[in-house]
Amino acid sequence: MNRIKQILKGESIENLLDETILRIFGEGLIMSSDSEILSLIKLYYPNLFASRENKLLHYQALFYKTLPEPSTVKEQIFKIYQDVIFENFHHGYTPIQVDIANGISNNQIFSFSAPTSTGKSFVIMNLIKECDSDVVVIVPSRALINEYYARLCELIPEKSVNILTFIEHINTAHANKNVFIVTPERCREIFKFSNIFKVGLFLFDEAQLSNEDNQRGMFFDSIVRRCNVKFPKAKLIFAQPFVCNPESQIARNKLTERQSSSKNYRQQNVGQLYLAYNDSKFYHFGIDKAVMGNRKEECSFDPIMRCIESGGSILFYVSKSKILSRGFHDEFNEYISKCEKISDENALILIEKIQKYTGGKTTKNQNYYSLFIDLLSYGIVVHHGSMPLEARLLVEEFTRKGFCKICFATSTLEQGINMPFDIVFIDRLESSDPLGVKNLIGRAERSSVDPNFDYGSIVIRTSAMSRFRQLMTTPITLKSTSMLDVEHIDDIDLNEIKQELNEGTYDDSFNLPQSKLEILSDDESNQIIRQLLDYLFVNQKFISSNTITNGDRWSKLVSLFDSFYAHYVKRELSQGERGVLHTAIRILVWRVEAKTFKNMCQLRYQYVSRAKERALYKRRNVENRLEAKFTARYQEIPNKNCHSLPLVDRGILARDVDYDTIIYDTYDYLDKFIGFKLSDILYAAFYKYFLQNGDDRALTAANYIKYGTNDNQEIWLLKYGVMFEDMTILKPHITSINQNELIVNQTFYQLPEDKRRAVERFVN
């Protein structure tokens, strides 16, 4: 059987369409081949498809769409079903959404799996809104945190509900409920408040993170177990896509003592087409060779070019190295060149916000030129894990509002971020990651509320067809045994972490295990901290960026940090580790002075590109061949095998330093090392030194390390979620701020709406 050839030749199309729709009436859209057949017929025979589309939508039971009145008895059956659901749930749920809602309602622990288009997010959002106690949402990435935050703020406008992307006990005079949206690493801060917060629901979204054989996977499981113990009355809900055994979450963490259940849903709400690409030609192919045919069939047009010309959007999934090296620009220039400059005022406002946040410019051959921002003005987006979070959020808003024509992205889009495209082009197929691939192709069209059958297209290299088919048909199962229960792990560091997590020796107030805290407050650490304070403060003031450019003071300072960190990890540091640590310390000092991300990046760019020296040469009208200064590229440490890698290749001229590279690498340092690891270590060391010795400089240093400021009002603003970018404008309009409330004066209401937004939820 070769349904693709049959459809392309136009043989018995009407019968094929009716057979497929009838099968969906009885079974639902669970077969990949049915999804492909429907999508192909809609593409090539739109008028015929339109004559059956209403019937198909009823049979799919997509009750969130504006469905037409039923015209047959079978359609009327689904209309009755829809009315009953709305009467009982007051939402336009599909039968699958009803089953998910019932599973959550009837169990203390419920783990389920569903395709990306099922609409689980809609059920989850309503569940959070309707919960009358505190809620904790655990997601794997910062990008998902902010997507949840934006949607929940819109769904829950009541100011009596704190919606926070961190765990803090604030706004207590006015809030009677808290919704926390955090990563697993920051979720453990909830246990500091186990006697204060009344958590009724823990939601673990994208819960397949538990399957990772690394520190994050162990942290995830340890959080699940502690939530179960510390909050025994709370519901624990696990949501994940495409997993065959969602019950593994219950078994691996020994949650069977409470009322629990699990379910794997297979129904899809959208269709998908599969195409292969080779030598500028495109071919249709199918996943199930027995139904769709085992050979590819030539497509008579370029679907990517047609999509661009018709105002659609394309996602190119490429490697991060291809983005950073700008290789994507040359390889896909045929399509990039078709994108005309954007004139829409709303799009230009978003681009301007990104410019203000990053400091990037769009004038070529000038300081701070950013190709990333320049491309945005043509509707071309880049998206990857090293993009600053605030810029990433603006880019995602830019895309959702329809301004993106082409997006070049890495695996950051795998984890449920709501950025749908008409076509997903997989330039880089991760054969070892079936779940990642399935999540990624879920970006190819999302179900809309319009009364249409929605579908998207996936394009791969012809050479990857066999591997792709295998990935798509490989059952995805999660391990039933946690790394926490594995008797021995070869990695010494992971084995130590496992032991500490199992023994429960983590100190929640410092986010560190007791064994590490003992090191940070022993005699050797205290001696190093005492010397560090003498170098970090000049005339009782924290050192300035001028002090850390170079020179003897800087050399002695980083040497002391080397000794401190080596003592912490209990071994000598490699040259690569020292380079990363030195760069991180420099960025920490810049952060204190610069405050905003833009200023931080521009200070680092000026240093690496030797901007002052080049300006001096220019004033003297002298040509310069100055080479860029060394700065270490971000790498994860501790790692004794870490080699010294320059961010800018040796021999690159200072004037040719790429500002985008500075932006991405600086964010990596702030997010992955300073924010996630180093600041916890240094804060604990300086704060404990302050408690032991009463040296106020240590407390000041601890605050600078943790918050970037020692100003009490600014620290409270940070706790209320305000970024430094907004503080300068907001501070004059705030009368008082503390744990109980945030009070503004009348001038606050004269600020533009976008400036008030940062704290408006807390203003009563």
Side-chain angles (χ1 to χ4, degrees):
M1 191 182 298
N2 189 328
R3 293 302 193 195
I4 294 177
K5 182 178 286 189
Q6 176 186 347
I7 292 169
L8 293 180
K9 285 188 173 183
E11 298 173 349
S12 303
I13 303 300
E14 191 168 355
N15 288 339
L16 177 60
L17 179 58
D18 288 339
E19 289 171 8
T20 306
I21 292 175
L22 185 60
R23 188 161 50 249
I24 289 168
F25 173 79
E27 302 175 7
L29 185 55
I30 60 175
M31 295 173 59
S32 171
S33 53
D34 284 346
S35 167
E36 296 169 54
I37 289 168
L38 292 171
S39 303
L40 279 165
I41 294 176
K42 180 163 185 176
L43 172 65
Y44 284 102
Y45 306 95
N47 293 333
L48 171 64
F49 192 90
S51 69
R52 309 291 202 280
E53 196 159 20
N54 291 344
K55 180 192 294 186
L56 171 62
L57 296 177
H58 278 288
Y59 289 2
Q60 283 187 274
L62 302 183
F63 299 144
Y64 53 83
K65 290 178 177 285
T66 309
L67 298 181
E69 287 299 311
S71 57
T72 67
V73 172
K74 287 181 178 178
E75 291 176 27
Q76 185 64 41
I77 292 171
F78 283 93
K79 179 66 170 71
I80 294 170
Y81 197 178
Q82 179 181 11
D83 293 342
V84 171
I85 288 174
F86 192 83
E87 182 179 344
N88 284 276
F89 290 88
H90 310 293
H91 297 293
Y93 283 164
T94 66
I96 302 304
Q97 289 173 318
V98 167
D99 206 63
I100 292 172
N102 283 332
I104 294 170
S105 175
N106 297 333
N107 295 278
Q108 275 200 296
I109 299 172
F110 184 60
S111 179
F112 70 95
S113 169
T116 52
S117 63
T118 309
K120 65 179 177 66
S121 294
F122 184 57
V123 178
I124 287 169
M125 292 293 172
N126 289 328
L127 176 69
I128 294 170
K129 179 182 180 180
E130 292 159 11
C131 184
D132 57 7
S133 54
D134 297 326
V135 177
V136 181
V137 181
I138 298 98
V139 294
S141 70
R142 294 274 299 278
L144 265 176
I145 284 176
N146 285 275
E147 180 169 321
Y148 259 99
Y149 178 78
R151 292 174 68 183
L152 285 171
C153 284
E154 186 176 339
L155 184 67
I156 309 173
E158 293 85 4
K159 292 186 178 183
S160 59
V161 180
N162 282 341
I163 301 176
L164 304 173
T165 59
F166 44 87
I167 292 172
E168 280 286 354
H169 192 215
I170 59 169
N171 197 31
T172 57
H174 305 285
N176 54 36
K177 173 182 170 181
N178 298 281
V179 178
F180 302 109
I181 314 155
V182 292
T183 59
E185 291 79 12
R186 293 308 175 197
C187 178
R188 61 175 178 245
E189 294 175 8
I190 193 70
F191 305 118
K192 290 188 288 190
F193 305 102
S194 58
N195 295 324
I196 298 174
F197 296 134
K198 307 301 180 186
V199 180
L201 173 67
F202 286 95
L203 170 66
F204 297 89
D205 201 1
E206 301 291 328
Q208 68 273 13
L209 173 65
S210 64
N211 214 43
E212 294 186 7
D213 287 333
N214 54 26
Q215 184 174 330
R216 289 205 86 196
M218 284 198 296
F219 270 132
F220 185 94
D221 284 345
S222 72
I223 290 297
V224 170
R225 296 178 185 193
R226 292 186 71 187
C227 290
N228 187 48
V229 172
K230 291 280 190 177
F231 299 90
K233 295 182 180 180
K235 287 179 179 287
L236 272 62
I237 310 302
F238 302 88
Q240 52 253 303
F242 306 112
V243 170
C244 296
N245 63 332
E247 68 275 6
S248 66
Q249 299 285 3
I250 299 169
R252 68 188 285 133
N253 288 308
K254 305 173 179 64
L255 306 177
T256 52
E257 292 181 2
R258 299 167 69 188
Q259 177 63 41
S260 62
S261 182
S262 62
K263 192 124 182 210
N264 175 24
Y265 301 99
R266 297 166 55 204
Q267 288 83 351
Q268 303 174 56
N269 290 349
V270 298
Q272 288 185 326
L273 285 175
Y274 300 98
L275 298 108
Y277 170 79
N278 188 38
D279 294 332
S280 300
K281 289 185 177 180
F282 293 85
Y283 305 86
H284 291 289
F285 76 98
I287 301 301
D288 187 344
K289 292 191 288 186
V291 177
M292 305 305 291
N294 58 9
R295 296 177 61 86
K296 61 184 187 294
E297 303 291 338
E298 187 168 347
C299 176
S300 60
F301 59 92
D302 181 336
I304 297 176
M305 195 64 76
R306 176 185 283 190
C307 185
I308 293 172
E309 290 172 349
S310 64
S313 59
I314 303 101
L315 166 65
F316 285 90
Y317 174 62
V318 297
S319 67
K320 187 174 179 179
S321 61
K322 194 171 281 190
I323 290 179
L324 297 182
S325 69
R326 301 183 176 180
F328 73 91
H329 195 274
D330 294 331
E331 185 172 350
F332 299 104
N333 188 58
E334 174 188 7
Y335 300 119
I336 291 173
S337 62
K338 292 294 182 181
C339 298
E340 298 179 356
K341 204 149 192 175
I342 290 176
S343 58
D344 188 288
E345 184 178 344
N346 293 316
L348 297 178
I349 289 172
L350 288 172
I351 294 171
E352 184 182 3
K353 286 181 178 180
I354 294 172
Q355 280 188 277
K356 287 182 178 178
Y357 178 73
T358 62
K361 311 294 183 185
T362 55
T363 305
K364 293 181 180 178
N365 301 318
Q366 296 292 321
N367 288 338
Y368 317 121
Y369 170 72
S370 168
L371 177 66
F372 148 56
I373 297 174
D374 200 2
L375 287 173
L376 276 177
S377 61
Y378 294 88
I380 300 165
V381 165
V382 295
H383 190 286
H384 53 85
S386 297
M387 181 180 293
L389 181 63
E390 192 65 23
R392 208 184 316 171
L393 295 173
L394 289 167
V395 158
E396 289 166 11
E397 183 181 352
F398 183 89
T399 302
R400 284 193 294 271
K401 288 185 173 178
F403 303 128
C404 172
K405 302 165 188 174
I406 298 175
C407 176
F408 295 96
T410 63
S411 57
T412 53
L413 288 187
E414 288 176 7
Q415 294 173 333
I417 299 170
N418 185 24
M419 286 176 64
F421 299 88
D422 297 294
I423 297 175
V424 171
F425 185 112
I426 302 179
D427 181 55
R428 176 185 179 222
L429 184 62
E430 297 283 2
S431 300
S432 61
D433 186 15
L435 182 54
V437 173
K438 288 186 178 183
N439 258 343
L440 184 68
I441 68 172
R443 305 307 119 218
E445 192 58 71
R446 289 290 186 100
S447 189
S448 69
V449 297
D450 300 323
N452 303 314
F453 174 75
D454 303 302
Y455 76 93
S457 302
I458 295 91
V459 182
I460 62 167
R461 302 284 185 184
T462 304
S463 58
M465 277 176 55
S466 296
R467 286 184 292 135
F468 184 78
R469 280 193 180 114
Q470 184 178 2
L471 283 174
M472 293 301 294
T473 54
T474 299
I476 297 170
T477 57
L478 301 180
K479 298 181 182 71
S480 57
T481 302
S482 169
M483 278 187 75
L484 292 172
D485 299 321
V486 174
E487 189 171 337
H488 178 72
I489 301 172
D490 290 335
D491 187 297
I492 295 174
D493 290 337
L494 280 182
N495 216 37
E496 183 181 341
I497 291 169
K498 181 198 78 173
Q499 183 177 343
E500 289 164 347
L501 289 172
N502 283 333
E503 292 175 354
T505 59
Y506 249 82
D507 185 297
D508 295 314
S509 59
F510 289 109
N511 289 324
L512 291 169
Q514 290 291 347
S515 59
K516 295 298 186 185
L517 287 174
E518 289 170 8
I519 293 173
L520 294 176
S521 56
D522 65 16
D523 290 342
E524 185 170 345
S525 285
N526 280 338
Q527 185 178 351
I528 296 172
I529 294 294
R530 188 179 301 114
Q531 294 178 73
L532 276 171
L533 289 171
D534 290 337
Y535 283 100
L536 285 171
F537 288 85
V538 180
N539 298 324
Q540 298 298 310
K541 290 185 178 180
F542 201 73
I543 57 174
S544 66
S545 60
N546 291 331
T547 313
I548 63 165
T549 302
N550 272 307
D552 185 55
R553 191 180 193 90
W554 169 248
S555 299
K556 290 179 179 177
L557 184 66
V558 294
S559 177
L560 284 168
F561 273 111
D562 284 347
S563 299
F564 171 82
Y565 198 68
H567 178 57
Y568 177 76
V569 298
K570 297 185 285 191
R571 60 170 172 78
E572 288 297 315
L573 303 182
S574 68
Q575 185 178 355
E577 287 176 313
R578 286 197 298 271
V580 171
L581 181 62
H582 296 179
T583 302
I585 298 304
R586 200 185 296 273
I587 291 173
L588 266 174
V589 177
W590 276 326
R591 185 177 68 162
V592 171
E593 183 172 317
K595 301 295 187 192
T596 67
F597 182 75
K598 164 190 168 180
N599 292 343
M600 220 179 309
C601 288
Q602 291 193 342
L603 279 172
R604 193 176 181 206
Y605 173 84
Q606 290 166 16
Y607 171 77
V608 178
S609 72
R610 305 169 75 164
K612 291 181 180 178
E613 294 171 80
R614 287 190 292 114
L616 182 61
Y617 276 100
K618 187 175 182 179
R619 284 197 299 271
R620 293 174 177 173
N621 201 25
V622 176
E623 182 182 357
N624 78 80
R625 302 286 297 175
L626 292 172
E627 291 187 4
K629 279 189 178 179
F630 173 85
T631 187
R633 181 184 298 275
Y634 169 74
Q635 297 176 79
E636 186 173 340
I637 66 170
N639 175 11
K640 61 185 177 184
N641 298 317
C642 174
H643 297 290
S644 181
L645 296 178
L647 178 61
V648 179
D649 291 340
R650 299 186 189 280
I652 293 289
L653 295 181
R655 64 171 176 258
D656 294 330
V657 171
D658 178 33
Y659 188 63
D660 284 342
T661 300
I662 297 290
I663 291 174
Y664 302 149
D665 192 67
T666 303
Y667 180 74
D668 276 344
Y669 269 99
L670 290 167
D671 184 54
K672 298 173 184 176
F673 183 45
I674 294 172
F676 181 49
K677 294 179 180 179
L678 188 61
S679 64
D680 281 345
I681 296 167
L682 293 178
Y683 176 80
F686 281 100
Y687 191 79
K688 279 187 162 291
Y689 184 88
F690 164 72
L691 293 178
Q692 290 176 355
N693 300 280
D695 189 332
D696 289 338
R697 295 178 305 167
L699 179 59
T700 301
N703 284 335
Y704 276 133
I705 287 161
K706 185 171 184 176
Y707 303 109
T709 179
N710 192 43
D711 181 293
N712 191 55
Q713 187 185 45
E714 291 183 351
I715 290 173
W716 273 113
L717 282 166
L718 289 169
K719 289 182 177 183
Y720 273 77
V722 179
M723 299 190 305
F724 278 114
E725 280 76 4
D726 297 317
M727 281 189 194
T728 304
I729 293 172
L730 287 174
K731 281 178 69 176
H733 307 281
I734 293 173
T735 303
S736 67
I737 181 171
N738 52 41
Q739 186 177 61
N740 296 328
E741 60 187 343
L742 185 156
I743 300 175
V744 299
N745 55 43
Q746 287 302 309
T747 59
F748 171 80
Y749 300 99
Q750 298 169 12
L751 290 172
E753 182 183 355
D754 62 326
K755 303 302 180 186
R756 298 197 309 267
R757 195 175 299 137
V759 296
E760 196 144 33
R761 192 172 188 89
F762 305 110
V763 175
N764 289 275

